[in-house]
Amino acid sequence: MAITHVIRGADHISNTPRQIVIWKALGHEPPTFGHQPLVLAPDKQVMSKRRGAIAVGEYRRRGYVPEAVVNYMALLGWSYGGDQEFFSLDELLQNFDMNRVSKKPASFDPNKLDWMNAERVIPFLRMEGLLAETLGPEERSHLERVVELLDDRLKVLTDIVELAGFFLAPDVVYDKIAVSKVLAKPGADKILVGLHKVLSECPDFQPETLEGAMRKLAEDAGLSLGKIVQPLRVALTGRTASPGIFETLSLLGREVSLARIDAARGLTE
């Protein structure tokens, strides 16, 4: 198959001698074998399905951009030298060298991946005036949670402006069709009044608590949960589609959510 090099985990070192013997017995020249230290879980134990290992497809489903995942994985056990942490794929192809692979196992740090994932979208948000030039710990943590919540909606980095704008902008830009189809319908104002009261009284703003409170509101009003959620979604985001409404509420926080509900009431009949 014209394979010249085999690079794999150090746990396969014990397999190598007999594989070389088999290779030669079949009349072939063995490839060059290289063995890298294993990537460890945060607790310094070998990663497995039960300890920290997650399929690549799951990272995509959770909203991690490919550039961030490739960049982070490349830096596990390898370094280019200096302080550079962000590389394009072309830069990685050009600069990768097995001689720079560490002989010590690297630990997979989910927090570092979250940071790198969020860092990739920051320039696009700044160009639109949605982020300050300097981010404090709270702002950065908020951005990481926003990017994670966007799930697989984030196909390319530039999508972040459209998908996350309502989380970061001070005011909601209302889609005219969303207003006419949802907020302008009879009964929308009454639903928003009820939502304002329920959300004001919620003991906390965690998604589970918010879901329970809104389900009870819908039940008491004799409405489906969807009839309650849709006016709220438009009030919070300005559109009819968004990430999960309970997670969105939690990320926006009580003060912002209540202010947006009040603003949306001005658009109801």
Side-chain angles (χ1 to χ4, degrees):
M1 296 173 69
I3 295 172
T4 59
H5 292 73
V6 175
I7 303 171
R8 53 191 182 178
D11 54 331
H12 287 286
I13 290 177
S14 60
N15 304 332
T16 307
R18 64 175 175 270
Q19 290 171 355
I20 291 175
V21 170
I22 293 172
W23 219 295
K24 289 182 176 179
L26 294 172
H28 298 292
E29 183 64 26
T32 298
F33 285 91
H35 294 87
Q36 289 189 263
L38 298 178
V39 177
L40 304 180
D43 61 3
K44 307 300 182 183
Q45 300 298 311
V46 176
M47 295 186 78
S48 66
K49 291 181 180 179
R50 295 181 181 86
R51 185 183 284 112
I54 299 176
V56 171
E58 179 65 11
Y59 283 112
R60 180 176 58 191
R61 191 196 69 76
R62 293 184 183 185
Y64 290 88
V65 295
E67 294 89 344
V69 176
V70 170
N71 196 152
Y72 181 65
M73 293 299 294
L75 295 178
L76 285 176
W78 173 82
S79 67
Y80 177 59
D83 298 327
Q84 184 174 351
E85 289 195 272
F86 292 94
F87 295 84
S88 67
L89 184 58
D90 286 341
E91 287 175 322
L92 289 172
L93 290 171
Q94 181 178 353
N95 294 307
F96 184 82
D97 185 339
M98 284 297 293
N99 291 322
R100 287 187 173 272
V101 174
S102 173
K103 295 181 180 180
K104 297 181 179 180
S107 293
F108 187 89
D109 183 356
N111 294 325
K112 181 65 176 291
L113 177 57
D114 288 343
W115 172 80
M116 192 167 281
N117 194 44
E119 196 75 18
R120 284 285 183 175
V121 302
I122 285 177
F124 300 96
L125 294 170
R126 281 182 174 151
M127 282 190 293
E128 297 297 324
L130 293 171
L131 279 183
E133 285 300 315
T134 303
L135 297 181
E138 289 188 9
E139 292 88 352
R140 188 174 293 277
S141 175
H142 179 70
L143 177 60
E144 289 175 5
R145 292 175 63 199
V146 168
V147 174
E148 183 178 1
L149 179 60
L150 290 177
D151 208 53
D152 57 358
R153 292 175 175 84
L154 192 62
K155 304 297 184 184
V156 294
L157 295 176
T158 50
D159 287 347
I160 191 68
V161 174
E162 171 68 18
L163 296 175
F166 70 86
F167 279 112
L168 305 169
D171 300 307
V172 176
V173 177
Y174 292 98
D175 178 76
K176 292 182 179 179
I177 296 177
V179 171
S180 63
K181 285 187 174 181
V182 181
L183 295 184
K185 282 190 173 181
D189 185 68
K190 184 178 180 180
I191 291 173
L192 291 178
V193 170
L195 283 165
H196 192 286
K197 182 176 186 300
V198 166
L199 296 176
S200 298
E201 297 172 352
C202 262
D204 62 66
F205 239 58
Q206 295 304 310
E208 299 81 6
T209 306
L210 294 166
E211 181 177 0
M214 289 177 59
R215 287 189 181 279
K216 187 176 186 307
L217 174 64
E219 183 180 346
D220 292 345
L223 298 171
S224 67
L225 183 61
K227 294 289 186 181
I228 297 290
V229 164
Q230 204 60 350
L232 177 62
R233 193 187 308 277
V234 177
L236 297 178
T237 72
R239 61 192 74 175
T240 56
S242 75
I245 192 65
F246 310 117
E247 291 77 12
T248 296
L249 270 169
S250 182
L251 258 178
L252 288 172
R254 193 191 306 267
E255 183 179 344
V256 170
S257 297
L258 294 178
R260 291 187 179 185
I261 290 173
D262 284 336
R265 289 191 61 202
L267 302 174
T268 60
E269 289 190 346

